[in-house]
Amino acid sequence: MEKQAYSVAEAATILGISRTTLYELIQAGVISTFSIGSKKLISAQTLEDFDDFFYRDGGYEVCDD
């Protein structure tokens, strides 16, 4: 059975980005999370959707306003 959800650290590794960048994407509302207890998780589908968006649309840049 494949994993259906990943920790932030696992998701960052899968996406090939730093945890800091992933947290910025989460804060910006680009990547959604859910919690089980105090653990923040990202669904496998969310990672797949972001990966599709990133490669199809040429990337996403987190900007500080």
Side-chain angles (χ1 to χ4, degrees):
M1 177 179 219
E2 290 185 40
K3 289 182 84 168
Q4 296 298 307
Y6 298 91
S7 69
V8 172
E10 291 171 322
T13 299
I14 290 166
L15 294 174
I17 60 177
S18 70
R19 287 186 307 162
T20 301
T21 298
L22 183 51
Y23 276 115
E24 290 173 350
L25 292 168
I26 292 167
Q27 194 71 290
V30 176
I31 292 181
S32 60
T33 64
F34 64 96
S35 297
I36 295 180
S38 62
K39 185 138 182 143
K40 187 176 288 203
L41 300 169
I42 301 169
S43 73
Q45 185 63 54
T46 297
L47 292 179
E48 187 176 316
D49 292 346
F50 178 77
D51 193 52
D52 289 346
F53 167 79
F54 182 82
Y55 288 110
R56 181 182 64 238
D57 295 334
Y60 182 87
E61 186 174 328
V62 176
C63 299
D64 293 324
D65 291 331

